[in-house]
Amino acid sequence: SDRCKDLGISIDEENNRRLVVKDGDPLAVRFVKANRRG
Amino acid sequence: QELLDVDGEILRNGGSYYILPAFRGKGGGLELAKTEGETCPLTVVQARSETDRGLPASIWSPPRIAIIRPGFSLNIEFRPRNPSACHRESSLQWKVEEESQQVKIAVKEDARGFGPFRIRPHRDDYKLVYCDEGQKR
């Protein structure tokens, strides 16, 4: 069985968009090279 | 299956990347913030501003393989260009706090070899997942 759970966003009362375990509601992400030009 | 960055290049093991949301209008890249009385920023959050790319993160797996694949157990560790004095006692390696299920950064003793995170394809983009079993290796 798959023991992996999605990481998603939970907004707290101070409006922080916290990264949390939130299975079934993942944050869709992309990766940008840190040393990318332009 | 290969994992690609926004330029269509394969994700490199140990490479440094900004982790950005795939969709616009809901905040920027992943970074650190102080929450609930933390004196240093220890909580992984999405930047409030959409134009903020967040902090660069090194994504790595112990096997000496040049690229990252979806099945790999990964560590994710912020590597800011100018680390603050606040973080001298912590690594900036991600962990999931068991009780709250929030992603925080680990104190140095908690930093581990095989990480509990993976990157998986999700629709046309990717998602990050947390795998408990990764902690036991």
Side-chain angles (χ1 to χ4, degrees):
Chain A
S1 65
D2 189 351
R3 292 195 196 163
C4 299
K5 293 178 177 169
D6 298 333
L7 296 183
I9 295 294
S10 170
I11 300 173
D12 67 19
E13 58 274 17
E14 291 176 332
N15 224 22
N16 292 304
R17 301 178 65 83
R18 301 190 194 198
L19 189 66
V20 299
V21 175
K22 200 175 186 189
D23 206 28
D25 187 15
L27 174 68
V29 296
R30 293 175 178 169
F31 300 91
V32 175
K33 274 192 289 293
N35 58 0
R36 184 189 195 218
R37 294 178 185 204
Chain B
Q1 190 171 8
E2 286 161 349
L3 302 173
L4 305 176
D5 67 20
V6 294
D7 296 318
E9 294 179 13
I10 297 170
L11 291 193
R12 312 297 301 181
N13 189 2
S16 192
Y17 298 91
Y18 293 102
I19 305 174
L20 298 176
F23 301 107
R24 292 180 146 270
K26 286 187 175 176
L30 298 180
E31 61 168 8
L32 288 171
K34 290 181 200 172
T35 62
E36 290 170 312
E38 289 170 354
T39 52
C40 284
L42 301 177
T43 304
V44 179
V45 300
Q46 201 185 354
R48 293 183 191 205
S49 165
E50 192 178 323
T51 57
D52 187 341
R53 292 189 297 178
L55 293 172
S58 172
I59 302 171
W60 55 277
S61 188
R64 293 187 181 177
I65 297 169
I67 65 172
I68 291 171
R69 293 187 183 280
F72 284 17
S73 296
L74 301 173
N75 288 290
I76 303 176
E77 182 175 358
F78 284 129
R79 297 257 174 93
R81 294 214 163 86
N82 300 301
S84 88
C86 210
H87 288 128
R88 272 185 301 222
E89 294 306 313
S90 49
S91 79
L92 298 182
Q93 195 169 319
W94 294 14
K95 62 164 184 180
V96 169
E97 199 175 68
E98 204 167 309
E99 196 175 325
S100 69
Q101 294 286 284
Q102 295 180 44
V103 184
K104 302 265 185 176
I105 55 171
V107 294
K108 283 206 166 94
E109 308 87 76
D110 282 353
R112 289 164 192 267
F114 274 93
F117 302 100
R118 293 182 193 184
I119 297 168
R120 292 201 171 151
H122 175 65
R123 299 187 180 138
D124 292 334
D125 300 289
Y126 298 106
K127 64 181 182 179
L128 302 172
V129 298
Y130 170 68
C131 310
D132 274 330
E133 59 190 350
Q135 295 280 23
K136 292 176 188 152
R137 293 197 192 184

